[in-house]
Structure formats: structure tokens, C-alpha cells
Amino acid sequence: MRVTPSLLMPGPGLRRATRGVLDLAFPPRALDEKPGAANLAQSRGLSAKVWTRIVFIEAPLCDRCGAPFEYDLGPGALCALCQSRRQAFDHARAACLYDEHSRDLILQLKHADRTDLAGLFARWIARAAADILPDLDAVTPVPLHRWRLLRRRYNQAAEIARPLAAVTGLRYLPDPIRRRRPTQSQGGKSGSGRRRNVAEAFTVPDRWRRKVEGRNILLVDDVLTTGATAEGCCRALKAAGAARVDVAVVARVRETAPRST
Ligand SMILES: [Zn+2]
């Protein structure tokens, strides 16, 4: 049976932050905005109002790309896209929907030096990817090109991937994927345009191959949109001998099941 995942919200697979959800992803005391909780430092400047606007993605999901289903189709069920197309990744998971609320938070990490948000995002991802984590060996970020890294001073994907490795106990591989050349800005490009733009833009240097070969690797980024960037990274890791490459992000688009990223 071919099933098109409904991304209408809220549905069984989508849940606005409730106390029950946040108890797992975030300490209740932080919701109450009481100072002094050990983990509250990681939520500095974020209010309960912000939390309740985030739409977390919950099961049932497409087993491969993590697209939320409207109905539980049983274990291992795949969405129409994953049934019809081989994905570059083996599994993808996202903590929440990419909308104006999650975008605001992610942009704070990306452009406003809110690196304190990274640990929180790492815990969101650890929860969203709980079903795939036991099979994984290592965590690695989607790379920024060097000049972008110089301008921004840090790679937001690495800021998330590092604490994710710490909370999951997986090995952290900081730099196995290189961008061959800076990709043009992705803004305004179509999905196919983005994929062409990043085609063959990634490679794994020889010195990293030994740490990649035969491993099950989790590729981390902040957002999954067309999947072009993740697809390029997954292909590079697989070409270097990775046995399996999964993708985990803070937020994914709701309109379409991404091809990968
Ligand atoms: Zn799918």
C-alpha cells in the first residue's frame, strides 16, 4: 500500500510542546522559569512561551526519512517517497518541524552567537533519534566551508554534534567531510537546483577513511530542507566506506518528505 504522509498539523505524529513532551526533552523546572535548576543555563533567555510554540515530531513516522504519519502504519512503514526513491541516507530523524518558531531559535544559534542553545538542541535530537542511536558508532557534523567558518567563527552543526556525542556516548568525528568548494547561497533555488549546486561538493580526505570505514555514522545538521547538502555528505561518507549513514537534525520542513539531508 502506498501511503502519502500527511504533514497537516497537529496530528498524531506532531505535537506542540506539552509538559509531557518537555519533561523528556527539558527539565520541568525550566518550563516554570525558576532560576537555579542545574540545566536552566542551557535555556537562558528562552521562555515557556517559546517552548510551547515548537512543534515536536512524534511517532508514528516513516522508518526511513522520519516524515510524520497521520496514522500508525506499523513497524518499518515507509512513506510514498521512500518507497519510490532510494535515499542517500539510511534513516533520518528530526526533533521538530521547521517553521517560523523553530527557525527563530536556530537562527539565534547560527547568527547570534547563541551557542548555549546547542546543548539543548543536542538533547532534542537524542530524543528524536532514540530508535536509531543504538546501531550507530559515531557522530559527525555537516561541514561549513573554510571561509564561511572564518566569517561565522563556528559551525552550528558541529556545535550541536559535539554535545550530542557526549550525551549519547557515540564517538565524535569532528572533521571527516570536506567541502571541495564553497557552494553558492542556497536561497531561492529549487530542490533540483540545490542538489546540482552541492553535487560532488563533498569528499572525505584519505586520512579520515580509516575512522569512517565500516562504521555506522550519524550526520548532524541544524535543518533538513531539500536534503541536498545531507545527500552530498552521505554520498561522500559512503564512498569512503561508511557502512551506514543516518541523518539527524533539529528541524525539518513539513511540506515534503526530504530526499535526504
Ligand atoms: Zn520517508
Side-chain angles (χ1 to χ4, degrees):
M1 179 175 64
R2 178 164 291 190
V3 178
T4 301
S6 170
L7 298 178
L8 294 175
M9 51 179 283
L14 301 172
R15 187 176 300 171
R16 287 201 183 277
T18 63
R19 179 61 64 98
V21 171
L22 291 180
D23 280 352
L24 296 172
F26 204 72
R29 287 191 68 180
L31 258 187
D32 296 331
E33 299 183 285
K34 292 176 183 172
N39 290 311
L40 188 54
Q42 293 189 44
S43 72
R44 257 196 332 262
L46 299 183
S47 66
K49 194 173 170 187
V50 172
W51 294 118
T52 54
R53 287 176 174 163
I54 300 296
V55 181
F56 288 91
I57 296 174
E58 302 280 305
L61 309 169
C62 170
D63 185 61
R64 190 164 299 153
C65 75
F69 286 148
E70 192 167 357
Y71 304 105
D72 190 351
L73 302 171
L78 301 182
C79 72
L81 183 65
C82 289
Q83 288 179 48
S84 64
R85 184 183 187 276
R86 179 80 190 157
Q87 306 277 19
F89 55 73
D90 292 281
H91 301 86
R93 296 292 182 266
C96 64
L97 282 185
Y98 187 55
D99 57 19
E100 67 269 31
H101 306 298
S102 60
R103 185 176 60 234
D104 283 350
L105 273 183
I106 290 164
L107 286 177
Q108 286 182 42
L109 169 63
K110 202 180 252 184
H111 297 299
D113 279 355
R114 287 294 308 274
T115 51
D116 56 300
L117 291 171
L120 177 67
F121 291 156
R123 285 190 291 159
W124 285 8
I125 289 175
R127 179 173 174 275
D131 64 324
I132 58 173
L133 288 175
D135 297 324
L136 298 172
D137 301 311
V139 175
T140 196
V142 168
L144 271 187
H145 195 269
R146 217 171 286 120
W147 68 262
R148 252 181 216 161
L149 189 60
L150 285 172
R151 193 175 58 183
R152 201 177 288 165
R153 290 179 289 118
Y154 59 87
N155 174 0
Q156 76 280 1
E159 293 300 310
I160 298 167
R162 213 166 33 237
L164 181 62
V167 299
T168 57
L170 297 174
R171 183 172 189 178
Y172 181 57
L173 304 179
D175 200 21
I177 310 167
R178 295 291 167 81
R179 284 185 190 258
R180 285 192 170 115
R181 55 181 168 76
T183 49
Q184 298 165 30
S185 170
Q186 302 281 22
K189 285 187 184 298
S190 66
S192 59
R194 287 188 182 204
R195 279 187 290 283
R196 275 198 303 276
N197 194 26
V198 296
E200 300 184 354
F202 299 95
T203 186
V204 174
D206 286 344
R207 66 188 182 82
W208 276 101
R209 287 180 179 253
R210 193 169 46 83
K211 292 177 179 171
V212 166
E213 274 174 357
R215 301 289 167 81
N216 295 341
I217 296 175
L218 183 64
L219 178 72
V220 173
D221 205 355
D222 50 358
V223 172
L224 185 67
T225 53
T226 66
T229 301
E231 188 170 336
C233 291
C234 288
R235 284 181 177 169
L237 288 168
K238 290 276 181 79
R244 166 174 157 177
V245 183
D246 291 350
V247 174
V249 297
V250 179
R252 57 165 284 157
V253 292
R254 57 184 283 202
E255 291 84 1
T256 60
R259 289 167 187 258
S260 66
T261 294

